[in-house]
Amino acid sequence: MAGRKSKYYTHVKPRFTDIAKWCRRGATDKEIIKALGIGKSAFYEYLEKYTELSELIKTNRVDAVEEIKCALYKRATGFKYKEKKVITQKSAYTEQQLKALVEAGIDVEKLGTPFITKIEEFEKQALADPASAMILLKHWAREEGWTNDPQSLLLKKEELELKKEKQESEW
């Protein structure tokens, strides 16, 4: 007696376009699993068994990762942005407006108080964020000593030098 039929060809493969879109939008494995209606273990089994699925997810997550890197860099260095503010103020009708309304047969009492709405736009500066800068430096400049564990980095450098010396002496 054979086991249960795989949902890969019915639930996963027909939704490759959706999966790609979800990955570009930053969906987690858990969210993809739920959207596909499959089990967690089946999903990870499919990732191992079907390289087309794992490649699809990997390549489409690259876009999301690049966006995050850009946003983190922007946050680390600071940036300018525009902010809009909507201001609503009570106003009063001018005599000309009142006269025109009355001539048009409009009951001014029923209209109530008029409001003026203004939109003000400001340019603001987001300050550089030191925490974001540290994250980037720790990932992009490890060779220059930016790490959470400087001692470990030093040991790795010494180990690399010893390996080079050993290789040179063997020649």
Side-chain angles (χ1 to χ4, degrees), residues 13 19 36 52 65 88 95 106 111 135 138:
K13 193 165 180 163
I19 295 169
L36 292 174
E52 61 185 356
V65 169
T88 306
E95 284 194 35
I106 299 172
L111 283 179
I135 291 168
K138 286 176 185 177

Side-chain angles (χ1 to χ4, degrees), residues 53-112:
L53 175 63
S54 57
E55 285 299 314
L56 174 79
I57 290 174
K58 189 169 91 178
T59 55
N60 284 285
R61 281 198 173 143
V62 167
D63 294 340
V65 169
E66 286 305 312
E67 264 187 61
I68 292 167
K69 282 181 182 178
C70 290
L72 187 60
Y73 177 80
K74 208 172 158 182
R75 185 78 180 114
T77 57
F79 58 95
K80 289 183 179 181
Y81 65 98
K82 290 186 179 184
E83 193 173 277
K84 290 182 180 179
K85 186 175 180 182
V86 178
I87 301 167
T88 306
Q89 298 174 331
K90 286 186 176 182
S91 178
Y93 292 111
T94 63
E95 284 194 35
Q96 284 181 325
Q97 289 173 327
L98 283 171
K99 196 175 185 180
L101 289 169
V102 171
E103 285 176 5
I106 299 172
D107 186 359
V108 181
E109 296 294 320
K110 287 185 180 177
L111 283 179

Side-chain angles (χ1 to χ4, degrees), residues 85-89 116-120 122:
K85 186 175 180 182
V86 178
I87 301 167
T88 306
Q89 298 174 331
I116 295 175
T117 302
K118 294 182 201 174
I119 298 176
E120 292 182 4
F122 305 94

Side-chain angles (χ1 to χ4, degrees), residues 6-40:
S6 169
K7 290 185 176 182
Y8 179 77
Y9 293 101
T10 58
H11 288 67
V12 179
K13 193 165 180 163
R15 309 241 2 233
F16 268 24
T17 306
D18 293 330
I19 295 169
K21 187 175 15 173
W22 298 333
C23 288
R24 285 192 300 273
R25 291 183 180 164
T28 62
D29 288 354
K30 188 176 180 179
E31 292 167 331
I32 293 170
I33 291 166
K34 186 177 179 182
L36 292 174
I38 61 174
K40 182 178 176 182

